[in-house]
Amino acid sequence: MSLVIKRRPTRQIRVGNVKIGSDAPIVVQSMTNTRTQDVPATTAQIHRMENSGCEIVRVAVPDMEAAAAIFSIKKKISIPLIADIHFDYRLAIAAAEAGADGLRLNPGNIGGIKKVKAVVDCAMTYNIPIRIGINSGSLEKDILNKYKGVTAEAMVESAVRHIELLAAFDFHDIKISIKASDVHRTLEAYRLLSSKTDFPLHLGVTEAGTLYSGIVKSSLGIGILISEGIGDTIRVSLTRDPVEEVRVGFEILKALEIRRHGPEIISCPTCGRCNIDLFGIVESVEKAMLKKSLPIKLAIMGCMVNGPGEAKEADIGIAGADGMGVLFRKGKVTRKFSQEKLVEVLLKEVEKYETIDHPQLQNNNKE
């Protein structure tokens, strides 16, 4: 029986053409790691992110050259772009003027109230939202002194202070993130903040780490919060290609049965009996199926004898060994063929399943 997750009601905002909050789908986003000033490299990376399903992209804006580059980048991409600002309020204004669809900043580190107001006035002029980004490593000194260090309560007080500051300028087009680098503080901070505000929340575990530790921390932190109904957008932070961040983000949502992006793939962990390149085959299928929202379960097995039976719940599956491959449905073998055609046969069968056998699924599950 599937778990029914009831989302926490939040206000709804827009970043470009993407709705965030309220009844909008939980949005998966990521951040480029190219130099934003290098327009060709940044654009190329964003295109790969778009192909993996990324719905909002964030770029670093460390200087005026990077802010100006947004104008050219925006003309070449199809998803909304958020400018990430630190320390200099003028960069936020320049990014907005260059066409950014949103701003991410910590109002506490860009100067005094007048400078914050200048950014807010600009955001109002261009009708773009601001994400208040609170990180455990950048809290105000008075708050750190009050709580004797970085605690969830300290992070929430900082977030509320910034919300009230923007509200004082009659600005309410806000989303909030409140990230720590460990799971426990992240959970505690988001739970506390969600009880104090109805602004949409952007989830993540900051500086989560390398591929394995980052996936584990992010899956736990983001997954637990979403299962509690908290969260409107997510970013998985990895010291890795941002395309991997997007893939992991959608896998978290898929595992919780919230959004389906790409098929559910089951595959054996391999053993000494496996004599095909199962890792490569699974990777090829995943990449080919990444943008499909078709609700289908695929099996890729390394044993022709036991594989179909072990994967009998799969809609479609393949297994191979000793130069031979088999295609099966619900555990029953339907076709045999040469082993080198494993991926080709599976993808053709998926296309048949989608367009001929179940055309209503193709129409109902486009995102």
Side-chain angles (χ1 to χ4, degrees):
M1 183 177 179
S2 298
L3 173 68
V4 177
I5 297 173
K6 185 177 181 180
R7 290 267 298 280
R8 178 186 68 103
T10 57
R11 308 184 192 196
Q12 189 170 93
I13 66 171
R14 282 179 178 266
V15 179
N17 60 355
V18 175
K19 295 179 181 179
I20 293 173
S22 186
D23 58 351
I26 295 174
V27 172
V28 176
Q29 60 186 76
S30 185
M31 185 174 184
T32 58
N33 56 20
T34 56
R35 293 179 70 252
T36 306
Q37 301 91 320
D38 187 342
V39 173
T42 301
T43 301
Q45 187 171 76
I46 293 174
H47 286 164
R48 291 195 303 108
M49 295 162 73
E50 289 174 333
N51 288 335
S52 70
C54 184
E55 295 166 305
I56 296 175
V57 65
R58 180 159 50 108
V59 300
V61 182
D63 54 38
M64 283 296 179
E65 186 183 357
I70 289 173
F71 178 78
S72 299
I73 295 168
K74 277 284 297 176
K75 293 192 293 185
K76 297 176 172 66
I77 65 174
S78 60
I79 58 177
L81 181 148
I82 295 175
D84 188 82
I85 311 296
H86 287 280
F87 308 118
D88 191 341
Y89 79 103
R90 294 169 296 183
L91 296 177
I93 293 173
E97 292 174 343
D101 298 293
L103 302 172
R104 182 273 182 194
L105 52 88
N106 182 338
N109 73 13
I110 63 169
I113 292 178
K114 288 184 179 180
K115 294 178 180 179
V116 174
K117 187 177 187 305
V119 174
V120 169
D121 288 344
C122 181
M124 286 181 169
T125 297
Y126 289 95
N127 193 29
I128 59 175
I130 292 175
R131 168 153 74 93
I132 297 172
I134 305 298
N135 283 348
S136 57
S138 59
L139 297 183
E140 300 91 318
K141 289 183 179 179
D142 66 309
I143 291 179
L144 287 173
N145 290 333
K146 176 180 177 179
Y147 289 94
K148 296 180 173 56
V150 180
T151 65
E153 291 81 5
M155 294 167 66
V156 170
E157 181 164 326
S158 178
V160 171
R161 176 183 293 182
H162 293 131
I163 292 169
E164 291 175 347
L165 176 59
L166 269 57
F169 303 133
D170 199 26
F171 187 83
H172 307 281
D173 200 5
I174 299 168
K175 65 175 175 175
I176 311 158
S177 62
I178 185 166
K179 302 177 183 179
S181 58
D182 62 278
V183 173
H184 288 296
R185 267 187 307 174
T186 297
L187 294 174
E188 190 178 352
Y190 274 107
R191 286 166 175 161
L192 181 58
L193 181 62
S194 69
S195 70
K196 294 179 178 294
T197 181
D198 65 350
F199 285 111
L201 300 181
H202 169 72
L203 302 185
V205 180
T206 192
E207 300 163 355
T210 55
L211 182 64
Y212 299 111
S213 63
I215 288 176
V216 171
K217 284 184 180 180
S218 296
S219 297
L220 285 170
I222 294 172
I224 290 172
L225 288 168
I226 289 176
S227 70
E228 295 175 0
I230 298 170
D232 303 283
T233 78
I234 65 173
R235 185 228 172 158
V236 174
S237 295
L238 302 174
T239 308
R240 200 77 173 188
D241 187 326
V243 169
E244 300 298 326
E245 297 185 345
V246 176
R247 292 176 66 176
V248 175
F250 276 112
E251 287 299 324
I252 292 172
L253 297 182
K254 187 194 301 179
L256 291 171
E257 300 184 2
I258 290 174
R259 291 188 68 185
R260 182 174 289 276
H261 192 84
E264 180 181 351
I265 296 179
I266 57 176
S267 58
C268 60
T270 74
C271 67
R273 290 188 298 271
C274 181
N275 59 12
I276 62 172
D277 179 19
L278 194 68
F279 301 152
I281 291 170
V282 171
E283 180 71 11
S284 296
V285 173
E286 275 191 324
K287 287 183 177 179
M289 297 288 294
L290 199 57
K291 294 193 75 173
K292 288 185 177 291
S293 56
L294 185 69
I296 188 172
K297 182 180 289 189
L298 304 179
I300 303 173
M301 310 299 286
C303 176
M304 286 204 305
V305 176
N306 297 322
E310 291 173 346
K312 62 184 178 181
E313 293 183 359
D315 297 298
I316 303 171
I318 52 171
D322 300 324
M324 182 66 67
V326 298
L327 175 74
F328 57 90
R329 285 189 175 221
K330 301 293 186 182
K332 295 183 179 180
V333 175
T334 62
R335 180 182 168 191
K336 295 183 178 181
F337 49 89
S338 60
Q339 182 176 301
E340 65 268 17
K341 293 184 178 180
L342 281 167
V343 174
E344 176 188 342
V345 168
L346 178 61
L347 293 180
K348 284 185 177 179
E349 193 68 15
V350 170
E351 184 177 351
K352 177 176 177 287
Y353 181 94
E354 181 178 24
T355 60
I356 299 175
D357 296 350
H358 300 279
Q360 75 281 3
L361 297 179
Q362 183 183 30
N363 295 328
N364 293 339
N365 289 279
K366 290 181 179 179
E367 294 184 354

